[in-house]
Amino acid sequence: MKGNAVPDIGSASLEFDPRTGGTSAAATGYRRGVSADPPQRAVEVRRSARRRRTVSAYREGDRTVVLIPARMSEAEEQRWVGVMLDKLAAQESKRTLGDAELTVRAERLSEQYFGGRARPRTVRWVTNQNTRWGSCTPAEGSIRLSHRIQGMPEYVVDYVLLHELAHLLVPGHGPRFWELLEAYPRTERARGYLEGVVAAERLPTVPAARDE
């Protein structure tokens, strides 16, 4: 391919610029009260008049708490909650998934979406795949994921795993292959995320100002 629940721990913080409305990060499907990513986790948004330039988030039991400036609009709130959910998910994915955990995750995803029909012999991270997110050798039953996605949100890692698992059942990228992936509800969202990463990497570097 080119281009188990996590522990209830982790926190993230980003600076919010009230002049521009924040960063250029896109909304990620958040809707009030429910996290966009599995497991379904309640989201509590707390506004503070003292908080002016930062947005923070942390896990608290079975919910995610997001702290935002009181002046933030509802549209900004929705966008920033999505950004923070993805940031937390990326941190947790990077922290918890070694090769052993990746194998367990692949087996669970195969059972959940493919009825357990895709059975890889090995699943591991590799550092020599810079032009692919993952690869699969059906004859060997081996799946390799690029280390570049280790810091990405869980749903993106799951999508890449499912993409490679599907290749154990269908070698090419024909209609039967994409029909398999339609079972995963976050396929389009994950593809959009990865396409955004590729597009960002192609952007030219902005020269620094003379006084920087």
Side-chain angles (χ1 to χ4, degrees), residues 70-85:
R71 68 172 68 185
M72 188 176 285
S73 69
E74 279 202 22
E76 290 169 342
E77 172 190 320
Q78 183 161 336
R79 178 161 63 89
W80 272 91
V81 169
V83 169
M84 301 312 288
L85 290 175

Side-chain angles (χ1 to χ4, degrees), residues 141-161:
S142 62
I143 290 175
R144 298 163 297 280
L145 265 58
S146 171
H147 71 288
R148 297 172 63 216
I149 70 171
Q150 282 184 311
M152 294 184 186
E154 287 180 359
Y155 71 90
V156 178
V157 177
D158 283 353
Y159 167 72
V160 177
L161 270 174

Side-chain angles (χ1 to χ4, degrees), residues 80-93:
W80 272 91
V81 169
V83 169
M84 301 312 288
L85 290 175
D86 271 355
K87 189 172 179 65
L88 281 173
Q91 289 177 350
E92 292 166 344
S93 178

Side-chain angles (χ1 to χ4, degrees), residues 97-106 123-125 145 157 161:
L97 293 182
D99 286 353
E101 291 84 0
L102 201 62
T103 300
V104 172
R105 198 180 194 93
V123 184
R124 59 192 177 93
W125 296 106
L145 265 58
V157 177
L161 270 174

